[in-house]
Amino acid sequence: MPRRPRARKQRPRVEDPHAQDPYAEHWALEYARRLADRHPPHHRILIQTSMSPSGYFHVGNFRDTVCAHLVHRALRRMGRRSAILLSFDDYDPVRSGQAARDPELAGHGGRPLGEHRERAARICRTYLAELRAMGILPPEADEDGRTPPGGDWRTHYQYERYRAGEYRAIQRRYQRDADRLAALLGKDDGRDLFAVYCVQCGRNTTEIHRLDRRAAHYRCLSCGAELTARDPADVKPSWALDWTLRVAHESIDCEPAGQDHCSAGSTMDRTRPVYESYLGSPQPVIVPYGLVRAEHGSGKISGSRGGGPYVRDLLAVHPVPLVLWLYARRDCLADLRLGFGAAAFLGAYEEFDRFVRCVSGDGRDRSRGRSRDRVLWELLTDEEPDGYGTLPRMRTVLGALYAHGCAPEAARRHLADRHPGADGPLLAERIGHALAWLTAHGRDRYWPAASGPAGAPVPAGGAVDLLIGQLRTHTGPGAPHAGRTRAEFREIYGALFGTEHGPRLDTLADVFGPAVLADALEAYRDRGERPLCVGEVPAGCGAGADPGTLRVPEPQEAPSRAC
């Protein structure tokens, strides 16, 4: 009797931001679908990404903008109109603790961030420049992120908009209904939902005695003034009300948010009654995302004390599609770990290269997994993936640079000869990223002079003797393979360079030649010498180094390597 076909499971319709459709090809498409279901086809969906310029925006802040960017691209992929609103919350007050720590903010505690115009502009412009480099900010935007009307991007500065009276009408309405709003938010007193920026000293360290639609009578705890604020721009709503105010005024349909901001009992959760019972509109679709953590440890990356890392640090060592892929590959609810250690750096390139090969059809997986990979690639970029699939592994590129004394042109010639099908511009880009990582983050791993005495002796044992014998008779490309263990690799690299790690032996054999490599191993075994090392890494060695200042070996010359 023939077997009846199994009924396909019905795709669940989920609206809880923390419950995602397991059948969706990507989480960005799932949230785009929710937005498309909510709004008619002619509606332009507006996605807000907002952040406060209390300090330079780090890779954790960037996740908010990446989520907005990916949902925007998912909507475009579905044929829907959408736009991104980047809102800088520079009308937030400077925290007193930060004003005490940061000399640049001395005396600004309690005043709006945007009042220190030079500092706020510098922070925002730095982030906008990073977004431009990422291909997220449109090319027609100016240095402040402003674009011609009608485009797919807007940039707002809340200090400017509050002071210009942009929200005047809705602010007066909120002040009039303060007690009703307090009840909806579970507060006892509507005055607690506002803070006045003192008309005399400019600080928000005030307590409101009487509040109505047109005025706030207050006492300033900093300067002692008892005054009346009649301009709504001086009466700043609390974060909960400020968010709903802007959503209502700007017609915001979607906003990413950290999980802690939209979980049960959070501010976003408690504002639902304001939308449902006061504004009479649904809360925006929330895209919750997890924390961004450092490579090691349990703490999240925070910019409250500065230090990054920043998007520009990622771009120094990764191409744009790889940076976006780092954020997009996981479920948005999952925490991310980003770092620049060897394991994180090399692991990212290994996974990205496998992903690209699968997208371009060069990988083994041609099933539903490949379909999802293709969807993900189209969310990341409009480029074709084929060029990335031609590139040598990052380990190989690092080895070529390492063996050629950090000379990028010599490494490029070697890699182009060994990988004739490699895309030229992308190969040059990968060499630049490898050089930036090797000289900034990989020094302790590859150059003992950076972390301790160079040339520390290590015993030369069976692994060195075996490799010497194999190299003397080896005629093919690369180095002879022998199933070596980690301990044996440490013994070999210790003999050659005084390190525990190094470039691939295949690359070393191709660059130096089997005979030169065997001679170097014998020199250490017999006399404790390391002839391939010529001192410390060149001072000019780096992503921007002039190749003319580095020693570039001739084709027939056995190159020296800095260590």
Side-chain angles (χ1 to χ4, degrees):
M1 185 175 179
R3 183 177 297 175
R4 296 178 62 183
R6 181 179 299 175
R8 185 176 179 181
K9 293 182 180 180
Q10 184 68 27
R11 290 176 55 136
R13 289 293 196 183
V14 290
E15 293 301 331
D16 178 355
H18 293 86
Q20 297 180 11
D21 184 354
Y23 297 95
E25 291 181 296
H26 190 268
W27 56 262
L29 286 168
E30 163 65 7
Y31 287 103
R33 191 270 307 162
R34 297 187 194 188
L35 287 160
D37 287 351
R38 179 181 285 196
H39 300 286
H42 65 272
H43 179 76
R44 168 174 271 179
I45 295 167
L46 183 61
I47 308 165
Q48 176 174 250
T49 171
S50 60
M51 54 196 69
S52 177
S54 56
Y56 285 94
F57 302 117
H58 52 75
V59 295
N61 302 127
F62 182 57
R63 192 171 194 182
D64 195 277
T65 305
V66 169
C67 287
H69 173 69
L70 292 173
V71 174
H72 169 64
R73 287 186 62 89
L75 285 163
R76 284 177 47 191
R77 190 174 184 272
M78 296 168 59
R80 297 299 298 263
R81 299 169 64 237
S82 71
I84 293 178
L85 168 59
L86 171 59
S87 181
F88 288 118
D89 295 342
D90 57 350
Y91 204 47
D92 289 351
V94 176
R95 295 186 295 272
S96 58
Q98 186 177 15
R101 291 193 307 270
D102 188 345
E104 192 176 15
L105 290 173
H108 284 269
R111 294 189 171 101
L113 287 161
E115 195 170 279
H116 197 319
R117 291 177 180 270
E118 181 182 343
R119 179 181 182 275
R122 185 173 68 249
I123 290 172
C124 295
R125 286 175 179 175
T126 298
Y127 188 61
L128 288 163
E130 291 174 333
L131 295 184
R132 193 189 302 277
M134 286 296 306
I136 294 176
L137 182 69
E140 64 270 18
D142 64 16
E143 65 177 353
D144 293 312
R146 304 185 195 277
T147 55
D152 291 345
W153 183 276
R154 306 177 199 170
T155 302
H156 286 175
Y157 295 84
Q158 291 307 313
Y159 179 90
E160 175 185 284
R161 293 177 74 76
Y162 268 102
R163 287 302 185 189
E166 184 69 32
Y167 306 127
R168 183 181 300 272
I170 193 170
Q171 279 182 275
R172 291 198 184 281
R173 179 184 168 193
Y174 272 25
Q175 288 177 217
R176 180 196 66 194
D177 299 332
D179 289 337
R180 180 184 172 191
L181 290 166
L184 291 172
L185 290 169
K187 298 286 187 179
D188 296 328
D189 194 328
R191 294 174 298 177
D192 295 337
L193 300 179
F194 300 87
V196 175
Y197 279 115
C198 180
V199 177
Q200 178 166 286
C201 73
R203 294 181 173 85
N204 75 335
T205 51
T206 54
E207 56 182 23
I208 298 175
H209 295 159
R210 190 169 69 256
L211 180 71
D212 57 36
R213 179 175 180 270
R214 295 192 174 276
H217 305 274
Y218 71 93
R219 176 175 178 269
C220 180
L221 303 180
S222 293
C223 68
E226 294 190 20
L227 299 169
T228 299
R230 301 190 184 278
D231 186 350
D234 294 321
V235 187
K236 173 74 162 55
S238 65
W239 188 89
L241 280 192
D242 176 72
W243 180 55
T244 64
L245 176 149
R246 280 188 280 153
V247 167
H249 184 82
E250 310 291 354
S251 299
I252 294 166
D253 302 304
C254 175
E255 181 160 6
Q259 289 189 62
D260 54 337
H261 291 297
C262 53
S263 57
S266 67
T267 302
M268 287 185 173
D269 182 55
R270 289 185 288 107
T271 56
R272 289 182 186 275
V274 175
Y275 288 99
E276 295 167 359
S277 301
Y278 184 79
L279 295 172
S281 62
Q283 193 179 57
V285 170
I286 304 300
V287 182
Y289 54 83
L291 298 173
V292 177
R293 301 183 186 276
E295 185 178 359
H296 303 291
S298 58
K300 70 175 183 177
I301 291 175
S302 172
S304 59
R305 293 183 179 272
Y310 307 106
V311 178
R312 54 190 175 274
D313 297 321
L314 292 174
L315 287 173
V317 298
H318 296 308
V320 167
L322 196 158
V323 174
L324 290 171
W325 171 81
L326 287 171
Y327 285 85
R329 60 177 171 157
R330 301 275 189 257
D331 184 330
C332 64
L333 291 168
D335 289 354
L336 296 182
R337 287 195 178 275
L338 298 177
F340 300 92
F345 175 74
L346 294 171
Y349 270 97
E350 291 288 335
E351 288 188 51
F352 180 73
D353 287 348
R354 284 196 296 270
F355 161 69
V356 169
R357 287 194 297 271
C358 186
V359 173
S360 60
D362 296 332
R364 297 180 179 178
D365 185 3
R366 300 177 180 271
S367 61
R368 180 175 174 81
R370 180 186 166 194
S371 172
R372 290 196 175 197
D373 286 339
R374 184 73 204 187
V375 168
L376 174 54
W377 179 264
E378 291 174 356
L379 289 173
L380 300 180
T381 179
D382 294 328
E383 293 181 56
E384 286 299 322
D386 301 346
Y388 289 95
T390 67
L391 299 177
R393 298 169 64 195
M394 178 52 78
R395 291 179 185 273
T396 300
V397 176
L398 281 174
L401 278 169
Y402 188 72
H404 283 88
C406 265
E409 180 56 28
R412 187 200 62 77
R413 291 199 303 264
H414 167 78
L415 291 168
D417 180 63
R418 294 288 294 154
H419 302 270
D423 181 283
L426 291 180
L427 176 60
E429 179 186 59
R430 181 161 288 198
I431 291 171
H433 289 144
L435 186 58
W437 181 84
L438 188 60
T439 55
H441 307 285
R443 297 176 66 94
D444 291 353
R445 179 180 175 89
Y446 288 103
W447 280 286
S451 58
V458 295
V464 167
D465 289 335
L466 177 61
L467 182 56
I468 290 172
Q470 291 174 326
L471 288 168
R472 293 299 186 198
T473 59
H474 185 65
T475 57
H481 295 179
R484 299 177 182 89
T485 65
R486 289 186 179 182
E488 289 171 332
F489 275 116
R490 284 197 294 269
E491 177 188 326
I492 292 168
Y493 289 124
L496 289 171
F497 309 122
T499 62
E500 292 189 356
H501 309 279
R504 297 178 65 211
L505 290 178
D506 285 343
T507 304
L508 291 173
D510 286 339
V511 172
F512 293 104
V516 172
L517 201 58
D519 289 344
L521 290 168
E522 282 187 347
Y524 180 79
R525 183 192 64 185
D526 299 339
R527 300 182 298 278
E529 300 173 356
R530 294 191 176 98
L532 300 186
C533 294
V534 291
E536 296 184 358
V537 58
C541 184
D546 178 5
T549 65
L550 303 174
R551 184 162 183 255
V552 182
E554 296 299 325
Q556 302 301 318
E557 178 188 2
S560 299
R561 188 193 66 83
C563 65

